[in-house]
Amino acid sequence: MSVTTMNAKDILMRAVQCDQVGRILEAQNLYQDGIQILMDLVADEKDVGKKKVYYERIKEYIDRAEQIKERVQKHVIRGELVTNIPIEDNSTGNSYQALFGDYLNADVKEVLLEEPYLQEKYHFQNLVTFLELLVKNCRHIKYVRLVTKTDPKAPENQRNVLEQIKSDMARRNVTLSVKFEDTLHDRKIVLSNGYIIKIGRGLHFFKATNPLYSLGLCDYDFRKCLQTDVDIWRTKNFIA
Amino acid sequence: MSVTTMNAKDILMRAVQCDQVGRILEAQNLYQDGIQILMDLVADEKDVGKKKVYYERIKEYIDRAEQIKERVQKHVIRGELVTNIPIEDNSTGNSYQALFGDYLNADVKEVLLEEPYLQEKYHFQNLVTFLELLVKNCRHIKYVRLVTKTDPKAPENQRNVLEQIKSDMARRNVTLSVKFEDTLHDRKIVLSNGYIIKIGRGLHFFKATNPLYSLGLCDYDFRKCLQTDVDIWRTKNFIA
């Protein structure tokens, strides 16, 4: 058995394990990785019988990955509005903790974060601030899927910074998986405990401190904000 | 009555008011400012009778300012150790909030902060982080006296940054008064509710995040620390 086959087997076993304990975003990711490796193997395989076995397994995993995709989509579509928080221009007291910290609790195992813009320094700083809160509040967090757009000006720098953040999260036993989708527009944060946070401006609604050394440099509750809306939705959780 | 006399009168009236409600650090500062103006006036005064009246008032205010100085000194000297927190090299979970946030409460009206080193960017950032916590936790805070050393390399920049922070605090109705004492060595934070926080390294015991975009960029609980000791003392409060 080749190294690649071993890898595919390991990956798909981990996928099934994640699936069973309800870590479905991570499972979906692993299914997709496993499927990709099996597809490469089947192309190289001469034996028709073995080819058939591969195809059956590929189909099985594709079906499962599709089911998860649908379940997540349904989860996002259905649901009821829990609260709407309008943020006024120049208002303060709107840190991530103040706005939605209570929904980030011990029940959250996985998070899907769709944030189109991760290109400027302050974008990355906002991402780190969000992840700090996530790691602090959600003690069972295992997996974060981040979907964003490629930075057309400095794609290399963007990849490097996201790689660094990924390594840092890995040291804390959280898998951060980054996907690039250049047609992405909407912003949302989907929590595996059933809450969905939609912010018109995504993570980026804080104004810079001016002058630099003012209250708000570290504690975002003191930062003035741009006008935006925060909608918090509740659906049945992923596992239901 | 000249503008200066008016100023002296106003300042000394405010000093007495602060003194009466127990805001003695602010009172001490105002007495000293008022005394300085009276000293200038007495030098210009020709009338011997008026000179005598000025001298009597000056003596009275000097005595009061000295009494306050002694009281604060006694407050700092006497007292019992409440707790000792050793910070290990590379340990985390040592944000100002985690270490001594509970002592910063609604009873704190005044703070004396002796921090010799306020020269580098991260020094100013630590100061702002400390002030954010102070303003957030101590809803009756009115006055902060900061004692520090002049930056021999960039005194202009240091003054500018501290002026900016002072203006920002003034907008939040907190007077930040900055005194330069170039022989200062020890670090301490004296709270008017009777607690004194002594940290071997003062405010500066956090290592930089490495790489930059890692957890700890904003939330100092994730920052690795330098080895230092935190001693927390308790004395009778200023007003007692």
Side-chain angles (χ1 to χ4, degrees):
Chain A
M1 198 180 267
S2 73
V3 174
T4 324
T5 327
M6 270 299 287
N7 278 347
K9 203 182 160 188
D10 284 354
I11 288 169
L12 289 161
M13 264 177 60
R14 271 186 51 212
V16 172
Q17 281 165 1
C18 283
D19 204 350
Q20 280 166 351
V21 297
R23 284 156 55 186
I24 63 169
L25 285 180
E26 190 171 4
Q28 185 192 5
N29 206 38
L30 292 165
Y31 282 129
Q32 282 161 349
D33 288 350
I35 290 162
Q36 192 54 54
I37 298 173
L38 289 181
M39 296 284 255
D40 293 345
L41 286 171
V42 84
D44 294 341
E45 186 58 62
K46 300 285 182 291
D47 186 303
V48 180
K50 282 188 185 166
K51 258 187 193 294
K52 206 184 152 219
V53 173
Y54 275 135
Y55 277 125
E56 276 164 10
R57 292 192 40 208
I58 290 171
K59 193 186 170 303
E60 184 185 320
Y61 293 127
I62 288 178
D63 286 350
R64 186 64 197 129
E66 280 297 314
Q67 279 168 18
I68 293 174
K69 200 173 158 188
E70 261 175 50
R71 201 203 291 180
V72 175
Q73 270 168 350
K74 268 190 205 152
H75 170 75
V76 173
I77 295 164
R78 295 181 195 164
E80 52 185 32
L81 191 64
V82 176
T83 183
N84 164 273
I85 309 163
I87 298 181
E88 303 291 331
D89 188 51
N90 280 331
S91 67
T92 58
N94 304 311
S95 67
Y96 300 146
Q97 169 63 39
L99 288 174
F100 53 77
D102 288 350
Y103 303 102
L104 298 175
N105 56 31
D107 296 335
V108 177
K109 289 176 191 164
E110 300 192 302
V111 169
L112 167 62
L113 171 62
E114 294 184 354
E115 173 49 70
Y117 296 100
L118 289 172
Q119 308 183 358
E120 307 293 334
K121 285 179 185 174
Y122 74 92
H123 291 162
F124 296 124
Q125 187 164 337
N126 287 340
L127 175 63
V128 169
T129 305
F130 172 76
L131 294 174
E132 286 174 344
L133 187 64
L134 199 64
V135 169
K136 208 164 197 179
N137 288 14
C138 310
R139 63 175 186 277
H140 298 123
I141 183 78
K142 291 289 175 206
Y143 182 84
V144 179
R145 181 183 299 163
L146 167 64
V147 188
T148 192
K149 287 166 85 153
T150 310
D151 180 357
K153 287 171 301 174
E156 192 82 349
N157 174 64
Q158 185 188 38
R159 261 195 306 275
N160 286 345
V161 171
L162 291 175
E163 271 308 312
Q164 287 171 3
I165 297 175
K166 200 171 152 169
S167 307
D168 187 42
M169 293 294 282
R171 275 193 295 274
R172 299 166 200 282
N173 298 315
V174 182
T175 305
L176 174 66
S177 133
V178 181
K179 310 277 170 195
F180 292 95
E181 267 185 34
D182 292 338
T183 54
L184 189 68
H185 172 271
D186 280 13
R187 291 88 163 145
K188 62 174 170 284
I189 306 168
V190 185
L191 310 177
S192 66
N193 65 352
Y195 288 96
I196 301 167
I197 299 144
K198 293 185 189 176
I199 312 171
R201 293 180 186 268
L203 294 178
H204 314 312
F205 52 85
F206 297 108
K207 296 186 181 183
T209 53
N210 179 19
L212 178 61
Y213 295 103
S214 306
L215 268 58
L217 187 61
C218 293
D219 185 339
Y220 279 38
D221 270 330
F222 291 101
R223 286 266 181 130
K224 287 184 183 169
C225 290
L226 295 160
Q227 193 277 322
T228 196
D229 269 319
V230 182
D231 292 334
I232 295 174
W233 296 78
R234 169 108 183 88
T235 61
K236 281 184 186 172
N237 69 28
F238 282 168
I239 309 157
Chain B
M1 197 180 269
S2 75
V3 173
T4 323
T5 326
M6 271 299 288
N7 278 347
K9 203 182 161 189
D10 284 353
I11 289 170
L12 289 161
M13 263 176 61
R14 271 186 51 211
V16 172
Q17 280 164 3
C18 284
D19 205 350
Q20 280 166 350
V21 298
R23 284 156 55 187
I24 64 169
L25 285 180
E26 190 172 3
Q28 186 192 6
N29 207 36
L30 291 166
Y31 282 128
Q32 281 160 350
D33 289 349
I35 290 162
Q36 192 53 55
I37 297 173
L38 289 181
M39 297 284 255
D40 293 343
L41 286 172
V42 84
D44 294 339
E45 186 58 63
K46 300 285 182 291
D47 185 303
V48 180
K50 282 186 184 167
K51 257 186 192 298
K52 206 181 153 220
V53 174
Y54 274 135
Y55 276 125
E56 276 163 9
R57 292 191 42 205
I58 289 171
K59 192 183 170 301
E60 184 186 319
Y61 293 126
I62 287 178
D63 287 349
R64 187 64 198 129
E66 281 298 315
Q67 279 168 18
I68 293 174
K69 200 174 158 187
E70 262 176 50
R71 202 203 290 180
V72 175
Q73 270 168 350
K74 268 189 205 152
H75 170 75
V76 173
I77 295 163
R78 295 182 194 163
E80 51 184 33
L81 191 65
V82 177
T83 183
N84 165 272
I85 310 162
I87 299 181
E88 303 292 332
D89 189 51
N90 280 332
S91 66
T92 58
N94 304 312
S95 66
Y96 301 145
Q97 170 61 38
L99 289 173
F100 53 77
D102 287 351
Y103 303 103
L104 298 175
N105 57 30
D107 296 335
V108 177
K109 289 176 191 166
E110 300 192 302
V111 168
L112 166 63
L113 170 63
E114 294 184 355
E115 172 49 70
Y117 297 100
L118 289 173
Q119 306 181 0
E120 305 294 333
K121 285 178 186 175
Y122 74 92
H123 291 162
F124 295 124
Q125 188 164 337
N126 287 340
L127 174 63
V128 170
T129 304
F130 172 75
L131 294 175
E132 286 173 344
L133 187 63
L134 199 64
V135 170
K136 209 165 194 177
N137 287 15
C138 310
R139 63 176 188 277
H140 298 124
I141 182 77
K142 292 287 175 208
Y143 183 83
V144 179
R145 181 184 299 164
L146 166 65
V147 188
T148 191
K149 287 166 83 152
T150 309
D151 179 358
K153 287 171 301 177
E156 192 83 348
N157 175 63
Q158 184 188 38
R159 261 195 306 276
N160 286 344
V161 171
L162 292 176
E163 270 307 313
Q164 287 170 4
I165 298 176
K166 198 169 155 171
S167 306
D168 187 40
M169 292 295 281
R171 275 193 294 276
R172 298 165 201 283
N173 297 316
V174 182
T175 306
L176 174 66
S177 133
V178 182
K179 310 275 170 195
F180 292 96
E181 266 186 33
D182 292 338
T183 55
L184 189 68
H185 172 271
D186 280 13
R187 291 88 163 144
K188 61 174 169 287
I189 306 168
V190 185
L191 310 178
S192 66
N193 65 352
Y195 287 95
I196 300 168
I197 300 144
K198 292 185 189 174
I199 312 170
R201 293 181 187 269
L203 294 178
H204 314 312
F205 52 85
F206 297 108
K207 296 187 181 182
T209 53
N210 179 20
L212 178 62
Y213 296 104
S214 306
L215 268 56
L217 187 61
C218 293
D219 185 339
Y220 280 38
D221 270 330
F222 291 101
R223 287 268 181 128
K224 287 182 182 169
C225 291
L226 296 160
Q227 192 278 321
T228 197
D229 269 320
V230 182
D231 292 334
I232 296 174
W233 295 79
R234 168 109 183 89
T235 61
K236 282 185 187 170
N237 68 29
F238 282 168
I239 309 157

